[in-house]
Amino acid sequence: MAGLAVVVVCVAGVVAYWLVRRLTEPTEALGVPDGIRLSIAILTVFGAVLAGVYAYRKQRIAEGDAHRADATQFAERYSTAAGQLGHEGPAVRLAGVYAMARLADDWVEQRQVCVDVLCAYLRMPYEWNPESDQYKKGEREVRQTIIRVIRDHLQESREESSWSTCALDFTRAAFDGGDFSGCGFRGSVSFADADFVGDLISFDKARFLDGAVIFHGARFGAGAVTFNDAQCQGGTVSFDEARFNGSALSFCGALLGPGDITFHHASLSGGTLDLDEARFSGGSVGFDYAQFENATVTFNRARFENGSLAFRRSRFTGGTLSFDHAHFTGGALAIDDAEFTGVTVTFYAARFDGGNVTFDYGQFTDSTVTFHHGRFNGGTVSLGHARFSGGMLSFVRAQVNGGRVTFADAQLSGANVRWGRLRPPEDGTG
């Protein structure tokens, strides 16, 4: 830019010289004094241009020097903070956590690098049991501080210093508790193969807006993991192949849609999965090929407005699957090809005003399926090709005002069937 301005000034100088020669020739229209004054004015303008070019060039050099000075300062702060994080003393490591977080706020160009360092710390081997010889005093506080710092930078109130679009890699990390409540996730977040061993880790009121949050292959112990009042509105949350051993997993009051949540091939042994009062509004929640052993899974008072909930080819052994007081106005609940052994499935006082609920090709062995006090005003409930061996199917005190309940080619002879006010099927349908 400065070089081009100099060329322009040189050309303008030549033109000015030619004009001066012409204008200083005696003519009747313009005298010599007028030509001299005009020449002085033109040269004054060109002098101002040259002065501006010089000032611009000087400013650019000064800015470059300042930028290099800032980069050098940031690099020095990075080295200091990284060294503190690797220190033997927990108090020094804590100082390193805060120093790295402040650097991430100030150094926008390398914010992701600073966040990566904090995430990498959590991925380092960690012994959480105080009785172990490998337990390090003060280490839990350092790790909890990192989680709090990340949580604070994922809040809606943060603007310029928000880390919500940063990639967060917690792959194979160990979480001895932690609080991610209120976080807004827009980037890629991985908890793949992580271990959750603490009493409580909270994602309450978290917002999954874009990107993907992955819990693929994660292992959950006997503690609680809560997503109460969380919102999945565009992002994807995956628990595929996750393992829950006596865990208490809760999505109570969550807004599910239009994003997706998947538990494909996940296993729940004991414990609870609570989606009570959740609202399904677009998107999908899928448990395809999941295995439930003596687990309690509840959707009590949930509202199904749109989207889908599916348990295709899932397997239940013992435990309970409950939709008590749930309200279906749209969408689809598919429990097709699922296997139930010694399980109780209840729709007590559930209301069906629309949508489709299907148990097609389901296999029920010594299991109970009840719609007691249910209200059928619309939509379809289908047990087509379902097979019952022992157990009970009951519609006691159910009210059928509309909609359809079908049993096409279902085999119900092996179950204790109580029709209530529902008219028994004559040719396999009803």
Side-chain angles (χ1 to χ4, degrees):
M1 177 68 74
L4 178 60
V6 171
V7 173
V8 171
V9 169
C10 291
V11 173
V14 174
V15 175
Y17 174 78
W18 180 79
L19 287 173
V20 169
R21 289 290 304 272
R22 292 294 303 273
L23 294 173
T24 53
E25 293 177 359
T27 63
E28 294 181 359
L30 182 64
V32 173
D34 294 330
I36 293 174
R37 285 193 295 271
L38 179 59
S39 299
I40 292 173
I42 293 174
L43 290 175
T44 300
V45 172
F46 292 152
V49 172
L50 283 173
V53 170
Y54 175 76
Y56 170 78
R57 180 62 177 170
K58 185 177 180 180
Q59 180 183 358
R60 288 295 301 271
I61 293 174
E63 289 176 351
D65 292 341
H67 182 76
R68 284 188 291 271
D70 288 342
T72 300
Q73 183 187 38
F74 286 146
E76 291 175 352
R77 289 174 58 186
Y78 177 85
S79 298
T80 301
Q84 290 175 318
L85 286 171
H87 197 274
E88 187 65 23
V92 180
R93 296 200 299 275
L94 280 172
V97 171
Y98 290 114
M100 190 64 73
R102 286 194 298 270
L103 180 58
D105 292 340
D106 298 338
W107 201 4
V108 179
E109 295 85 350
Q110 298 297 330
R111 176 173 294 168
Q112 181 65 64
V113 174
C114 298
V115 173
D116 287 343
V117 172
L118 295 176
C119 293
Y121 190 100
L122 294 177
R123 297 199 303 271
M124 295 174 62
Y126 169 57
E127 177 53 61
W128 59 273
N129 186 357
E131 304 299 326
S132 172
D133 294 338
Q134 303 299 319
Y135 180 77
K136 294 174 63 175
K137 187 176 181 180
E139 179 64 7
R140 185 177 189 273
E141 180 60 30
V142 175
R143 300 172 74 89
Q144 291 293 314
T145 299
I146 293 176
I147 294 173
R148 286 195 297 270
V149 165
I150 293 175
R151 177 203 63 195
D152 291 345
H153 283 82
L154 296 178
Q155 303 297 313
E156 273 188 354
S157 57
R158 311 290 294 210
E159 294 181 0
E160 294 183 0
S161 60
S162 173
W163 298 355
S164 62
T165 58
C166 290
L168 303 174
D169 187 1
F170 304 113
T171 303
R172 291 183 293 277
F175 289 90
D176 182 13
D179 185 3
F180 289 94
S181 60
C183 289
F185 296 100
R186 294 183 181 275
S188 174
V189 184
S190 174
F191 292 91
D193 297 310
D195 287 299
F196 295 88
V197 296
D199 293 333
L200 173 65
I201 182 166
S202 172
F203 292 85
D204 292 349
K205 297 184 179 180
R207 299 172 312 284
F208 303 94
L209 305 173
D210 293 301
V213 180
I214 306 300
F215 292 86
H216 186 281
R219 293 169 291 276
F220 296 84
V225 182
T226 63
F227 293 80
N228 298 329
D229 297 309
Q231 299 180 19
C232 185
Q233 294 182 290
T236 299
V237 184
S238 170
F239 293 90
D240 295 351
E241 298 187 22
R243 301 291 180 263
F244 300 88
N245 188 10
S247 311
L249 182 62
S250 175
F251 288 83
C252 187
L255 174 60
L256 308 176
D260 299 325
I261 301 178
T262 62
F263 291 81
H264 301 327
H265 297 277
S267 68
L268 289 83
S269 179
T272 61
L273 172 58
D274 176 3
L275 287 96
D276 292 352
E277 299 183 5
R279 177 184 172 189
F280 294 78
S281 181
S284 65
V285 178
F287 293 84
D288 295 354
Y289 296 94
Q291 298 187 29
F292 303 85
E293 184 176 357
N294 296 318
T296 299
V297 183
T298 63
F299 295 83
N300 298 333
R301 294 182 175 82
R303 290 181 293 168
F304 297 84
E305 301 169 357
N306 205 346
S308 66
L309 169 63
F311 291 86
R312 297 183 183 91
R313 295 186 179 274
S314 57
R315 178 178 296 177
F316 292 81
T317 304
T320 301
L321 176 61
S322 172
F323 295 87
D324 294 349
H325 297 279
H327 189 187
F328 297 84
T329 59
L333 166 60
I335 316 181
D336 303 335
D337 290 306
E339 297 181 16
F340 297 84
T341 303
V343 182
T344 299
V345 182
T346 71
F347 289 82
Y348 180 84
R351 179 174 175 176
F352 302 87
D353 292 327
N356 297 304
V357 178
T358 61
F359 293 86
D360 294 344
Y361 295 94
Q363 298 184 33
F364 300 85
T365 303
D366 297 324
S367 297
T368 299
V369 180
T370 64
F371 294 85
H372 294 169
H373 295 273
R375 287 179 290 176
F376 297 87
N377 302 318
T380 300
V381 176
S382 171
L383 289 92
H385 301 275
R387 299 172 63 182
F388 282 79
S389 176
M392 180 175 66
L393 172 64
S394 176
F395 294 86
V396 171
R397 296 188 181 276
Q399 300 178 20
V400 182
N401 303 314
R404 300 177 64 220
V405 181
T406 68
F407 303 88
D409 296 316
Q411 298 182 21
L412 308 177
S413 57
N416 177 12
V417 182
R418 301 178 181 179
W419 299 109
R421 298 179 183 178
L422 184 70
R423 191 166 70 102
E426 297 177 357
D427 298 316
T429 63

